[in-house]
């Protein structure tokens, strides 16, 4: 029998009024695997990340390392090792890179303690440096975000989600705005993260990045999974081309 996946949703369903934003979405991500989630605007990709991380009301199961997390609040899911980025993931430009990572896990009011508002373990300077080094940003800790390239700034955003012990990373359009070269470098860094055993769910409209870097891809349309499989099969799937790739390639 294959081992249990690191991460799974089972029949995850989110309804916003009359809109079925996620319709019984079932997917898995293994340890060390990068899994893409693609689909047209409004297909329900961000909703899935919101539901999985505890920010949208949902029915269905969410499991991380064999532990059910549905029903838990965002802080408990984060403490269990599930981390996300946000589409508008701007950095604080008046803080250094290391301070940006620390700020992401500070408690409001500057209180210190064993955990933060998101339930994360408070990492020490070593933890912050380790997260930066994993992303090739080891010498950027004391620099300001504006001194870095856009690609490096995007990686700082990922490092922010990695600090404090992360098993599963949910990335919502982390490469938006990158050119082809930067996006290729970004993909290589994602592979380095996955090689440490972290699972990655990658949402992006950059099809070159998604199809190059992902082990498997799920396609959402109107909240439903309409296809899943390895990138080569997804690229050639007529239903996927009709629903999304035709327009995505033309963009
Ligand atoms: N908070 C909300 N309240 C009501 N409806 C919402 C809410 N969030 C999303 N929706 C609706 O749910 C559907 C899915 O939206 P979602 O943002 O998840 O799509 P998406 O695939 O992430 O799109 P994009 O690629 O543009 O980011 C859309 O019809 C959207 O209007």
């Amino acid at each position: 029998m294959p081992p249990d996946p690191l991460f799974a949703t089972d029949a995850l369903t989110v309804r916003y009024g009359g809109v079925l934003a996620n319709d019984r979405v079932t997917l898995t991500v293994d340890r060390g695997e990068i899994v893409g989630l693609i689909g047209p605007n409004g297909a329900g990709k961000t909703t899935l990340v919101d539901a999985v991380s505890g920010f949208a009301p949902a029915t269905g199961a969410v499991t991380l390392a064999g532990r059910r997390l549905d029903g838990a609040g965002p802080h408990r899911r984060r403490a269990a090792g599930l981390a996300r980025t946000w589409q508008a993931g701007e950095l604080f430009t008046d803080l250094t890179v290391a301070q940006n990572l620390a700020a992401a896990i500070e408690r409001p009011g500057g209180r210190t303690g064993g955990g933060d508002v998101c339930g994360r373990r408070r990492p020490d300077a070593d933890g912050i440096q380790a997260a930066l080094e994993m992303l090739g940003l080891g010498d950027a800790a004391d620099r300001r975000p504006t001194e870095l390239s856009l690609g490096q700034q995007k990686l700082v955003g990922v490092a922010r989600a990695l600090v404090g012990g992360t098993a599963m990373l949910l990335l919502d359009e982390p490469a938006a705005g990158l050119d082809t070269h930067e996006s290729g470098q970004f993909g290589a860094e994602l592979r380095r993260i996955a090689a440490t055993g972290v699972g990655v769910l990658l949402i992006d409209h950059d099809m070159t990045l998604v199809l190059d870097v992902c082990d498997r891809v799920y396609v959402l349309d109107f909240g439903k999974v309409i296809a899943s499989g390895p990138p080569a099969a997804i690229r050639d799937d007529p239903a996927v081309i009709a629903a999304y790739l035709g327009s995505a390639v033309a963009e």
Side-chain angles (χ1 to χ4, degrees):
M1 229 171 67
D4 285 343
L6 169 68
F7 171 79
T9 68
D10 185 21
L12 198 73
T13 299
V14 179
R15 193 180 283 279
Y16 288 125
V19 176
L20 201 48
N22 277 180
D23 186 0
R24 300 184 62 79
V25 176
T26 294
L27 55 78
T28 62
V29 179
D30 286 329
R31 286 167 185 77
E33 194 179 30
I34 305 180
V35 172
L37 182 65
I38 62 172
N41 294 120
K45 305 178 297 293
T46 296
T47 298
L48 182 119
V49 173
D50 288 345
V52 159
S53 51
F55 290 96
T59 59
V62 176
T63 309
L64 181 70
R67 182 171 159 201
R68 287 283 293 269
L69 292 180
D70 45 278
H75 61 291
R76 273 193 47 214
R77 300 186 197 211
R78 182 62 192 87
L82 193 61
R84 68 171 294 176
T85 62
W86 301 82
Q87 262 185 31
E90 286 91 1
L91 304 172
F92 299 112
T93 52
D94 52 347
L95 299 182
T96 66
V97 165
Q99 287 167 339
N100 264 274
L101 266 62
I105 45 165
E106 283 287 328
R107 284 182 159 204
R111 284 180 297 153
T112 56
D116 72 312
V117 69
C118 295
R120 275 191 268 192
R121 214 164 9 94
R122 189 182 164 77
D124 50 20
D126 288 350
I128 288 174
Q129 189 61 27
L132 291 174
E133 272 167 20
M134 190 188 290
L135 289 158
L137 294 166
D139 59 358
D142 297 326
R143 296 165 73 189
R144 310 247 166 208
T146 45
E147 296 172 54
L148 306 178
S149 69
L150 182 60
Q152 288 173 314
Q153 292 179 36
K154 298 282 181 184
L155 290 172
V156 173
V158 176
R160 254 194 330 202
L162 268 179
V163 286
T166 292
M168 176 69 206
L169 202 49
L170 307 158
L171 300 178
D172 195 357
E173 299 196 27
L178 297 186
D179 65 27
T180 311
H181 177 68
E182 290 168 328
S183 158
Q185 288 182 327
F186 185 86
E189 296 300 339
L190 288 188
R191 287 253 56 112
R192 275 165 46 123
I193 294 171
T196 68
V198 171
V200 180
L201 185 71
L202 172 65
I203 296 175
D204 216 281
H205 287 288
D206 178 341
M207 279 309 103
T208 307
L209 171 68
V210 171
L211 297 175
D212 279 358
V213 84
C214 289
D215 300 297
R216 290 184 299 120
V217 178
Y218 290 86
V219 187
L220 274 188
D221 193 23
F222 294 109
K224 270 185 195 300
V225 174
I226 60 162
S228 65
I234 293 297
R235 191 187 286 117
D236 297 336
D237 186 316
V240 178
I241 293 167
Y244 181 54
L245 284 185
S247 60
V249 168
E251 267 174 11

